[in-house]
Amino acid sequence: MTLTTDSWSFLLVAMLAVPAAGAAVVALLPAARDRQARIVATVFAAVTFLLTLAVPVVVPDEFGWFSVDGVPGLVPWLNLDVPWVPALGLEFHLGVDAISYPLVVLTGLLTLLCCAYTIKTGARALAALLLVLEVGVLGTFLALDLILFFIFFEVVLLPMYAVIAGWGGPDRRRAARKFVLYTLAGSVLLLIGVVTVVSQTGTGDLTGTFPLSRNTQWLVFALFAVAFAIKAPLWPLHTWLPDAHTEAPTVGSVILAGVLLKMGTYGLIRVGVGVAPDGAAWAAPVLAVLAVVAILAGSLICLRQRELKRLIAYSSVGHMGFVLLGIATLTVTGIQAALIGNVAHGLITGLLFFLVGTIKDRTGTGTLDQLSGLRERSPRLAGLLGFAAIASLGLPGLAGFWGEAFAVVAAVQRGHPFWVACGVVAAVGGALTAAYFLRLLRRVTHGPATPAVRSSRSAISAGEWVAWAPLVLLTLVVGVAPALILSGTDLPIVSLLGGGRP
């Protein structure tokens, strides 16, 4: 193996080293300096976020800003490929391209906002765990080697368990155990798939091709699909999600919905489709059916929910259904729908969990029947909740619209009656999304204020504005200019689908 680096590839290592160092520093600070430790964690998270923003500035000239025109195949903007365990042929291979970069920035942003949120209410250990989670998530999005991808994919397991079990609600330990058991089951399947690919091909390089037989691709893709479906989570493997979200602290729910779920759908694109494109084509109709069922089931379940955080959690099942439908089409438009759907969901649902967590903390309840009249007591908070809700239901001009619309268009463009039917049913599911979010707003913001709402604090603090304003702004910006997410993704997607590998 030879060492291959770009002149600015140290940025990739720095994105992982800075939050790792930050977690260590925060953990070593004395317990008496708890608030100062949370400030230190926020500083490290801010530096990491700035490093993610530096990537487009330093990419080689042939790529340009968010562009890969004329550069064929899966060529990373920045690339670091060095020997790791030579005896086993393992490489420490990191890279970033148009497919992974928006998720890298999203991870840096949400971690920074969550760390800042802990300064006022939180704990030193919680801030340190957020930085450890950032290492695992960023590593997953940057890894271009299958073994390295698996290792980073697993790094998030124990920190997320600790966040839920340590700072969650009354039933937090059961929810954390359920999260771990489901995730471990997916990890076993992912490991079997990774070992199968590496042992048969002798490589784990995600920028190359994998000469696997058709039957092996079917097996490998099935293993990957189930493993990533659990992490996403996709219906019917979603049952750990509502419990985890309901019991997790606010920052835990934001990170879980905003970036951890994206590890599953990103893995399905980068690893599932990239390693076994024939297997993906074989399983595409099944994935489409599961996606459509998820969209409908998620919406119908949300219409019956009486707890605020559980409703938002189940809404993620439907949104991830649109992402899966886009992936299942195996078209450039469909994969682009999945990519922008991932980012939009992270922004909007992250904002929703910030807001509903604040409402629950102020009122002491998450029951819809006890939360009416919010606009009378806190009109600004009610207005922000309304904005996030209409963004999540896919209003044109906001970020949530593009992923759902592109997924439906991609399905219809396939032309076959089966795919047209999937697109039509998904569109109906989108209408149901509007129904349950409008029901949520009617129950929470309208009507006479309940005792729980009347006794709550009405003003929004400066720290809350700092955490929420970037998500509001980006929801508007991505809604108006989706090219910020999608520019330069065409050629990498074609390559992933098997049409342009070098």
Side-chain angles (χ1 to χ4, degrees):
M1 285 181 292
T2 59
L3 184 147
T4 304
T5 61
D6 296 324
S7 57
W8 289 93
S9 60
F10 72 89
L11 280 176
L12 303 174
V13 177
M15 285 182 214
L16 303 178
V18 170
V25 170
V26 171
L28 291 174
L29 287 174
R33 303 179 68 85
D34 188 85
R35 188 173 188 277
Q36 291 87 338
R38 285 176 267 147
I39 295 174
V40 170
T42 304
V43 171
F44 274 94
V47 173
T48 305
F49 178 56
L50 291 176
L51 289 172
T52 68
L53 294 181
V55 170
V57 180
V58 302
V59 294
D61 292 340
E62 63 265 27
F63 293 99
W65 283 71
F66 299 97
S67 174
V68 290
D69 292 340
V71 181
L74 285 171
V75 182
W77 291 349
L78 298 179
N79 187 62
L80 175 70
D81 189 1
V82 299
W84 184 25
V85 186
L88 299 178
L90 301 182
E91 300 178 9
F92 191 80
H93 191 182
L94 301 176
V96 63
D97 62 8
I99 293 176
S100 58
Y101 179 66
L103 293 174
V104 170
V105 176
L106 178 66
T107 302
L109 173 64
L110 288 181
T111 304
L112 171 59
L113 298 181
C114 287
C115 285
Y117 199 81
T118 65
I119 292 177
K120 185 175 181 181
T121 57
R124 175 183 55 137
L126 177 59
L129 287 170
L130 291 175
L131 292 175
V132 176
L133 282 168
E134 184 175 29
V135 174
V137 178
L138 285 176
T140 300
F141 296 146
L142 295 175
L144 291 178
D145 179 85
L146 270 176
I147 299 294
L148 191 62
F149 177 92
F150 174 78
I151 291 172
F152 281 121
F153 195 84
E154 295 308 304
V155 164
V156 304
L157 177 60
L158 292 180
M160 196 67 229
Y161 170 86
V163 168
I164 298 172
W167 291 272
D171 202 20
R172 59 186 182 274
R173 297 192 182 278
R174 184 188 65 83
R177 285 195 300 269
K178 192 173 182 180
F179 164 76
V180 167
L181 289 175
Y182 268 79
T183 306
L184 281 176
S187 300
V188 171
L189 297 177
L190 179 59
L191 179 60
I192 294 173
V194 168
V195 170
T196 300
V197 172
V198 174
S199 63
Q200 292 211 7
T201 64
T203 181
D205 185 6
L206 289 170
T207 64
T209 56
F210 295 86
L212 298 168
S213 67
R214 183 179 62 178
N215 289 341
T216 303
Q217 286 203 37
W218 290 357
L219 171 63
V220 166
F221 186 83
L223 292 170
F224 287 155
V226 176
F228 294 134
I230 292 173
K231 179 71 80 174
L234 302 171
W235 186 91
L237 302 172
H238 66 283
T239 54
W240 63 266
L241 182 67
D243 292 334
H245 271 311
T246 302
E247 300 302 325
T250 297
V251 293
S253 292
V254 171
I255 292 294
L256 184 60
V259 292
L260 258 68
L261 303 190
K262 311 305 174 289
M263 293 168 61
T265 49
Y266 171 82
L268 191 58
I269 295 170
R270 175 74 77 185
V271 177
V273 176
V275 171
D278 292 341
W282 163 71
V286 176
L287 296 180
V289 171
L290 293 176
V292 170
V293 173
I295 294 168
L296 291 177
S299 298
L300 292 173
I301 293 171
C302 284
L303 283 170
R304 296 184 57 84
Q305 287 304 304
R306 297 181 178 274
E307 208 283 332
L308 197 54
K309 290 186 76 174
R310 288 186 74 86
L311 189 154
I312 304 302
Y314 273 115
S315 74
S316 294
V317 176
H319 291 309
M320 290 299 99
F322 279 103
V323 173
L324 179 60
L325 179 61
I327 297 171
T329 64
L330 297 179
T331 63
V332 173
T333 301
I335 301 296
Q336 286 180 328
L339 295 177
I340 196 169
N342 271 337
V343 174
H345 180 264
L347 294 172
I348 298 168
T349 306
L351 176 60
L352 277 169
F353 273 116
F354 267 132
L355 296 173
V356 301
T358 297
I359 292 171
K360 192 170 182 179
D361 291 342
R362 290 184 180 186
T363 61
T365 181
T367 304
L368 293 179
D369 294 337
Q370 301 177 26
L371 290 174
S372 66
L374 184 65
R375 68 176 183 173
E376 293 184 10
R377 179 61 178 166
S378 183
R380 290 184 177 87
L381 183 57
L384 286 170
L385 181 64
F387 171 83
I390 63 174
S392 190
L393 63 83
L395 186 74
L398 299 176
F401 169 75
W402 298 107
E404 297 183 6
F406 282 2
V408 172
V409 168
V412 173
Q413 284 180 340
R414 287 290 301 266
H416 191 280
F418 168 80
W419 289 101
V420 173
C422 287
V424 171
V425 175
V428 173
L432 290 176
T433 302
Y436 68 73
F437 270 118
L438 292 175
R439 169 180 173 268
L440 164 68
L441 293 177
R442 180 178 62 82
R443 298 288 294 274
V444 174
T445 64
H446 290 65
T450 60
V453 172
R454 282 198 300 269
S455 62
S456 65
R457 177 169 59 90
S458 61
I460 299 176
S461 68
E464 289 169 338
W465 279 118
V466 168
W468 303 343
L471 300 179
V472 173
L473 178 62
L474 286 172
T475 298
L476 289 167
V477 170
V478 174
V480 174
L484 289 174
I485 307 299
L486 299 178
S487 289
T489 58
D490 301 60
L491 287 176
I493 291 172
V494 170
S495 183
L496 277 175
L497 296 173
R501 291 289 181 96

